[in-house]
Amino acid sequence: MILELAEIRIQPGQNAAFEAAIQRGAGTVISRARGFQGYKVNRGIESPERYILQIFWSTLEDHTLEFRQGPLFAQWRAIVGPFFAAPPVVEHFELVAKSA
């Protein structure tokens, strides 16, 4: 399993609308992508316009090739992109340890 970690910064005062949009986008668009296994979204406490989006993929290629280069990506960005204050910073991680 691959973890996609995206740091997203939004325009001030848009929290409620962005949170509704990101849940709608993940639930209706990303959830249809090949290899999608689930997601989590966290809002910053000290920086409430900063969000961490975690998406779990079966393989790296499911995200980087199938999703990012396919039609679902444009649909996703149309929903959440208008809220971005800057392009998200995205990295991928592999699991090396897990607690019970």
Side-chain angles (χ1 to χ4, degrees):
M1 179 172 59
I2 299 297
L3 168 63
E4 171 196 356
L5 187 69
E7 178 183 350
I8 301 170
R9 293 186 181 269
I10 66 164
Q11 303 291 332
Q14 296 294 310
N15 296 78
F18 173 70
E19 290 171 17
I22 200 167
Q23 289 178 57
R24 184 176 77 248
T28 64
V29 178
I30 295 178
S31 62
R32 297 187 343 241
R34 186 180 88 181
F36 171 81
Q37 294 186 5
Y39 77 98
K40 294 180 183 180
V41 181
N42 292 81
R43 178 181 57 239
I45 295 171
E46 293 81 9
S47 302
E49 286 82 29
R50 182 177 178 224
Y51 289 81
I52 300 297
L53 169 62
Q54 299 175 65
I55 302 179
F56 303 94
W57 298 97
S58 296
T59 69
L60 180 62
E61 293 75 21
D62 286 337
H63 177 239
T64 59
L65 298 176
E66 295 297 321
F67 179 69
R68 290 289 302 260
Q69 294 182 22
L72 292 176
F73 183 71
Q75 294 173 36
W76 160 251
R77 286 304 282 263
I79 294 169
V80 297
F83 297 95
F84 295 167
V89 176
V90 177
E91 293 186 52
H92 299 93
F93 298 84
E94 295 178 295
L95 183 65
V96 295
K98 182 178 176 181
S99 66

